[in-house]
Amino acid sequence: MYTKKHYLLLVFLYAFISMEAQPPKREMRATWIATVGGIDWPKTTGATSQKAEMLKMLDSIQTLNLNTVFFQVRSRCDAMYKSSYEPWSSDLKISRGSDPGYDPLSFVIEECHKRGLECHAWLNPYRYNKTGDGWTGANNWPSNYERTHPEWLLWYPDNVILDPAIPEVRLQITNIVKEITTNYDIDGIIFDDYFYPYGGTANQDAKSQSQYFEAWSDAHPGKTVHDWRRDNVNRMIADVYHTIQATKPYVAFGVSPFGIWTTNTNVAEEEGIPLPSGISGGNMYQEIYCDPVAWLKEGTVDFYTFSYYMSNCVTVDENAETTAGNMSKGAKNPYLKASDWGWQIDPDGLRYTLNLLHDRYPHTPLMIVENGFGAFDTVEEDGSIHDDYRIDYFKGHIHAMKESIEDGVPLIGYTTWGPIDLVSAGTGQYAKRYGFIYVDRHDDGTGDFSRSKKDSFYWYKKVCESNGEEI
C-alpha cells in the first residue's frame, strides 16, 4: 500500500471502487490570493496603486482560464472589507484600523465577476497574530481584542489565537462570517489550516479548561481534554456552516486544513479507516485539533479538499529501503520513478485516491488544492529553462484526474503547488523549485529575484486555455 500527504488519510483503505455518479456540471479552477504580510498582494501603497496591482493579477488569472479566486480577507482578526467587528488590516500598508479609502473585498468581487470569476472570501478563524506578541505602536488599535477582550486570547511563544473554547468567540466568528455573507456578493467562504497552533497546546488554555471542560466532560464521559478541544473546533465549523445556509444557502463553505489527519491507528480504526503501520508525520488530529472526518460525517462542509504529491509503500520488512515524502515516509516502490528529493511519482495513485474518497463520501464534491513537483532547474545560456520533467509530472496527474471524472468522481477543482518558485516549506531551499516561473534566488543568498518563464509555463497556459483538452 502507499500513503499520501493530503486532507485525510483515507487513502489507506484497500478497495478500488468504480463509481456511477455523474461528473460535476462545473469545475473549480482556483487560485489563492494571500494578503497576510503582503505575500501576494498588496505590494504597493494607496488605493489607486493597489487597485491597479489587483487588476493586473485578475487579468492574468482570467487569461489562464481559471474561474475562482480565494481572496484572503481576514488573516489576523482584521479586515480587507468594511467590518463592524474588526479593524482594517495593516496589510493594506496602513496603520491597523485606518480607513484605506476603498473597500478591497467589494472591489475584488466586482472585478472578479466582470471577468467571469467566482470570488470566495478566505478567512483564518482563530489567528490573532502570527508572532507571540500582540499589536503595538501604530497598530495598537483601541478596539483590538487584547484591549477589549483579553480573556478571549491564548498566548503561545510564536502565536496568539482566539480561544476556541469560549462561546463568545465562536459567536464572534459566526457573526463575522454572517456579515460578510450578508453584505457582499461572495460565491463562497473558505477557511485554511489555522485552528489550535502547530506545535501543540500544553496548558495555554488552563483557564478555559477550568470554566468549560468539566461540564463538557460530564456530558461526554470517557472523553479527554483533547476530545474537548476538537469539539470546540467542530462546533465552530458547524455554526458557520448553518449560518451560511440560513443566510445565503448558495454560498459554498469549505475548509482546507493542513497535513495528515491522524497517525494514530486506534483513532483511524474507530472511524473504520485502516491505517497501515509505520505512518509518520504531523498528527493534526492531536496537534491542531482538526477533525475533518467529523465535518464530513456531520455534513458541515460543502466540498472536500486534499493535497497530493506522491505515494509511499508500507511493508513488514524492517530492512526495506525507504523513501521520502511530504510529511511522511515509507518503503520505496521499485516500480515508480522519484523526484530529485526522493518523492515517488504516482499519478495512478491519484486516481485511486479520488475514487476512494468518493466511495467514502459519495455526496461531497472533491478538490485537489496542492499538486506539484519539486526539482532542480537549469537556466540555459539564452535564459530558457527546459523542464520537461515537470510537464511530464503534471501530464500524468491531469490524465489521472480526467480518468477519475470518467469513473464518476465529482472532482470540481484543482490548483498546483506552486505557480512561482518560492522557498521550500519542507527543506528551506530555493533550489527545490516547484513553479512554472523561475525566480533568480539561490541557497547561498545570491540572485536578484528576477523572474522568467519556464517551458512548463507556456505548456500549462495552453492546458488552461483549452480547458484541459491540450495536455
Side-chain angles (χ1 to χ4, degrees):
M1 276 317 287
Y2 43 78
T3 72
K4 308 182 179 70
K5 177 259 186 184
H6 60 279
Y7 186 91
L8 307 174
L9 281 183
L10 303 181
V11 65
F12 297 121
L13 297 177
Y14 292 104
F16 179 95
I17 302 187
S18 178
M19 299 296 114
E20 296 181 356
Q22 295 299 311
K25 294 181 180 179
R26 174 181 170 84
E27 66 179 3
M28 182 188 292
R29 300 186 298 277
T31 188
W32 305 81
I33 297 180
T35 62
V36 61
I39 290 175
D40 294 321
W41 179 92
K43 303 293 187 183
T44 58
T45 60
T48 301
S49 181
Q50 290 176 0
K51 286 181 178 181
E53 188 183 342
M54 178 58 72
L55 290 177
K56 186 176 180 180
M57 293 182 68
L58 294 179
D59 285 343
S60 178
I61 290 167
Q62 182 186 29
T63 300
L64 290 170
N65 202 30
L66 303 180
N67 62 21
T68 304
V69 168
F70 296 154
F71 177 50
Q72 192 174 30
V73 302
R74 180 183 184 264
S75 62
R76 292 176 287 181
C77 292
D78 53 11
M80 290 278 173
Y81 62 95
K82 188 173 178 57
S83 172
S84 304
Y85 299 96
E86 294 177 330
W88 287 105
S89 173
S90 59
D91 292 321
L92 288 165
K93 312 300 183 186
I94 55 176
S95 297
R96 186 175 172 92
S98 299
D99 191 335
Y102 75 114
D103 186 323
L105 177 56
S106 179
F107 176 75
V108 171
I109 291 171
E110 181 181 356
E111 295 299 330
C112 278
H113 289 172
K114 284 181 183 177
R115 292 161 175 77
L117 303 171
E118 288 191 3
C119 182
H120 293 226
W122 165 17
L123 289 77
N124 304 94
Y126 296 122
R127 184 170 63 188
Y128 181 68
N129 207 346
K130 60 179 184 177
T131 70
D133 303 318
W135 291 99
T136 59
N139 291 320
N140 191 11
W141 189 59
S143 297
N144 281 339
Y145 293 141
E146 59 198 287
R147 287 188 169 196
T148 60
H149 292 288
E151 74 281 4
W152 284 8
L153 300 177
L154 296 181
W155 297 79
Y156 296 75
D158 300 318
N159 286 280
V160 185
I161 70 165
L162 296 177
D163 187 344
I166 298 176
E168 291 79 10
V169 166
R170 191 163 67 248
L171 179 61
Q172 183 81 339
I173 295 169
T174 303
N175 284 339
I176 287 166
V177 171
K178 183 176 181 179
E179 180 177 61
I180 295 172
T181 307
T182 300
N183 294 348
Y184 293 89
D185 187 22
I186 56 169
D187 301 288
I189 293 283
I190 188 161
F191 290 171
D192 65 359
D193 52 357
Y194 292 95
F195 299 101
Y196 283 85
Y198 296 107
T201 297
N203 211 30
Q204 288 89 345
D205 59 351
K207 184 176 179 180
S208 53
Q209 285 188 48
S210 65
Q211 287 182 280
Y212 304 110
F213 174 61
E214 184 175 345
W216 184 89
S217 61
D218 288 343
H220 301 83
K223 297 294 185 180
T224 68
V225 68
H226 305 293
D227 298 313
W228 169 70
R229 288 173 181 151
R230 275 184 292 275
D231 189 63
N232 293 332
V233 175
N234 293 348
R235 282 186 286 171
M236 182 274 292
I237 295 292
D239 287 352
V240 167
Y241 174 78
H242 293 304
T243 295
I244 294 171
Q245 288 295 303
T247 307
K248 289 181 181 176
Y250 59 84
V251 170
F253 176 51
V255 187
S256 182
F258 183 82
I260 299 170
W261 168 51
T262 185
T263 56
N264 187 315
T265 303
N266 293 331
V267 170
E269 286 180 351
E270 286 180 8
E271 297 292 346
I273 301 171
L275 186 66
S277 61
I279 303 306
S280 64
N283 182 355
M284 296 303 134
Y285 183 84
Q286 193 73 4
E287 185 174 336
I288 66 174
Y289 300 105
C290 171
D291 189 7
V293 169
W295 311 335
L296 289 165
K297 288 171 61 180
E298 294 166 8
T300 52
V301 290
D302 290 316
F303 58 93
Y304 171 112
T305 66
F306 68 100
S307 303
Y308 183 96
Y309 291 91
M310 33 60 65
S311 69
N312 289 334
C313 291
V314 173
T315 179
V316 295
D317 182 1
E318 296 180 357
N319 298 315
E321 184 178 358
T322 61
T323 188
N326 191 28
M327 298 188 66
S328 66
K329 63 181 181 180
K332 184 175 181 178
N333 186 333
Y335 301 101
L336 295 178
K337 295 180 180 179
S339 74
D340 295 327
W341 276 263
W343 293 21
Q344 297 184 141
I345 302 168
D346 188 9
D348 287 339
L350 176 58
R351 181 183 180 186
Y352 174 91
T353 301
L354 286 164
N355 275 272
L356 197 65
L357 294 176
H358 178 51
D359 178 49
R360 180 163 287 273
Y361 304 107
H363 304 297
T364 304
L366 306 178
M367 178 178 177
I368 302 164
V369 293
E370 291 181 25
N371 175 238
F373 184 73
F376 291 112
D377 289 333
T378 300
V379 181
E380 304 296 339
E381 290 186 6
D382 62 358
S384 59
I385 299 108
H386 305 305
D387 58 338
D388 290 345
Y389 39 86
R390 185 170 288 110
I391 294 172
D392 289 342
Y393 175 91
F394 282 115
K395 278 183 178 180
H397 288 78
I398 291 171
H399 183 69
M401 289 188 288
K402 183 175 185 293
E403 290 181 322
S404 298
I405 292 171
E406 292 170 351
D407 294 336
V409 174
L411 178 62
I412 63 169
Y414 172 76
T415 58
T416 65
W417 183 273
I420 189 168
D421 289 347
L422 72 171
V423 177
S424 167
T427 67
Q429 294 173 282
Y430 286 104
K432 189 178 183 183
R433 298 179 180 274
Y434 281 90
F436 304 120
I437 297 173
Y438 183 90
V439 178
D440 183 32
R441 192 66 174 178
H442 309 282
D443 293 340
D444 61 3
T446 60
D448 61 5
F449 291 103
S450 60
R451 303 176 183 186
S452 54
K453 298 171 182 176
K454 307 175 188 179
D455 287 357
S456 59
F457 174 90
Y458 300 102
W459 169 80
Y460 196 57
K461 186 172 184 289
K462 289 183 179 178
V463 172
C464 294
E465 288 174 342
S466 68
N467 199 23
E469 293 301 318
E470 268 190 63
I471 63 169

